[in-house]
Amino acid sequence: QVQLQESGPGLVKPSETLSLTCTVSGGSISGYYWSWIRQPAGKGLESIGRIYAGGSTNYNPSLKSRVTMSVDTSKNQFSLRLTSVTAADTAVYYCARGRGHCIGGGCSYYFDFWGPGTPVTVSS
Amino acid sequence: QSALTQPPSVSAAPGQKVTISCSGSSSNIANNYVSWYQQLPGTAPKLLIYENNERPSGIPDRFSGSKSGTSATLGITGLQTGDEADYYCGTWDDNLNTVLLFGGGTKLTVL
């Protein structure tokens, strides 16, 4: 059974950089997409972006200028950096495994395994 | 405001059936596959349905999914108090073409 675990500081100061790591166990990081999703308190889910095991990335256009994702296959980890944070970036951050493909009927993409989430507060 | 519209809340009695709708457009639901996620209070989301109507291993057949045109529907039969949760739809969007698009979520109350 694949398991994911987020780690990183729970408190970040405004204008600084949020850095989180997700460690994958119970399976290889190769061959899948790996994503970050966030959820402000009492609100819905927002996709931040994804990275393929080979290193290619896709980011939510609304966050693209501030987001960088990376992967370390030797450690079975992938990471998120979000720069110039504000209070609006306060949320629970989840990492998840993405699976998908595009065929005649369209594109299928979904998250089959999730980490438990880590709360991040942006405050001075 | 999400490009996928879900009702904020639905409710039904134990043992009954409930449906949750997810309305989109030609650039997302109409052309692509839909997934559904259950988020119990204080926990991470869990995959319930993928590729419109497929259930992952371990998900009971009380949960079902369907899609027609620009809308998708999650159905839950034999409601249990343990089904009380937030439910989210998700799909690919041809215009965004980068990340999964989520609906705003629906709070299910089992009365």
Side-chain angles (χ1 to χ4, degrees):
Chain A
Q1 178 83 338
V2 174
Q3 293 186 312
L4 295 86
Q5 181 67 56
E6 305 89 352
S7 59
L11 180 64
V12 182
K13 289 182 169 56
S15 80
E16 296 191 345
T17 297
L18 180 161
S19 295
L20 296 174
T21 296
C22 183
T23 301
V24 180
S25 59
S28 174
I29 206 167
S30 300
Y32 296 96
Y33 292 100
W34 301 94
S35 291
W36 290 96
I37 301 109
R38 69 181 183 179
Q39 184 175 36
K43 296 189 178 181
L45 302 168
E46 179 184 35
S47 290
I48 299 171
R50 66 178 186 174
I51 185 166
Y52 192 66
S56 60
T57 55
N58 297 109
Y59 301 137
N60 189 322
S62 68
L63 298 168
K64 186 175 181 179
S65 64
R66 300 193 291 131
V67 173
T68 304
M69 293 183 183
S70 59
V71 63
D72 187 336
T73 55
S74 67
K75 295 182 179 179
N76 249 27
Q77 292 178 334
F78 62 104
S79 299
L80 167 71
R81 291 183 75 248
L82 181 65
T83 62
S84 305
V85 297
T86 69
D89 295 309
T90 295
V92 175
Y93 285 74
Y94 297 100
C95 59
R97 189 177 82 170
R99 301 188 68 170
H101 57 274
C102 291
I103 54 178
C107 289
S108 166
Y109 187 67
Y110 55 93
F111 302 121
D112 59 352
F113 291 101
W114 295 66
T118 187
V120 177
T121 300
V122 178
S123 174
S124 55
Chain B
Q1 188 173 359
S2 175
L4 300 181
T5 302
Q6 297 181 236
S9 63
V10 297
S11 62
Q16 297 300 303
K17 175 183 177 178
V18 71
T19 60
I20 297 172
S21 62
C22 176
S23 178
S25 69
S26 58
S27 69
N28 44 63
I29 290 180
N31 281 350
N32 298 296
Y33 293 88
V34 177
S35 52
W36 289 91
Y37 304 85
Q38 176 193 60
Q39 186 175 33
L40 296 170
T43 70
K46 173 184 173 183
L47 179 66
L48 277 183
I49 298 288
Y50 66 100
E51 292 180 359
N52 300 335
N53 54 19
E54 298 292 330
R55 282 177 286 107
S57 173
I59 300 299
D61 59 8
R62 300 189 299 109
F63 296 90
S64 64
S66 63
K67 190 187 92 166
S68 178
T70 59
S71 292
T73 302
L74 173 70
I76 311 173
T77 59
L79 273 174
Q80 302 172 2
T81 55
D83 296 331
E84 198 160 282
D86 293 322
Y87 292 83
Y88 294 89
C89 60
T91 190
W92 196 253
D93 186 284
D94 295 335
N95 292 333
L96 201 62
N97 203 29
T98 53
V99 295
L100 189 75
L101 185 65
F102 286 105
T106 298
K107 169 67 177 175
L108 168 63
T109 300
V110 181
L111 303 168

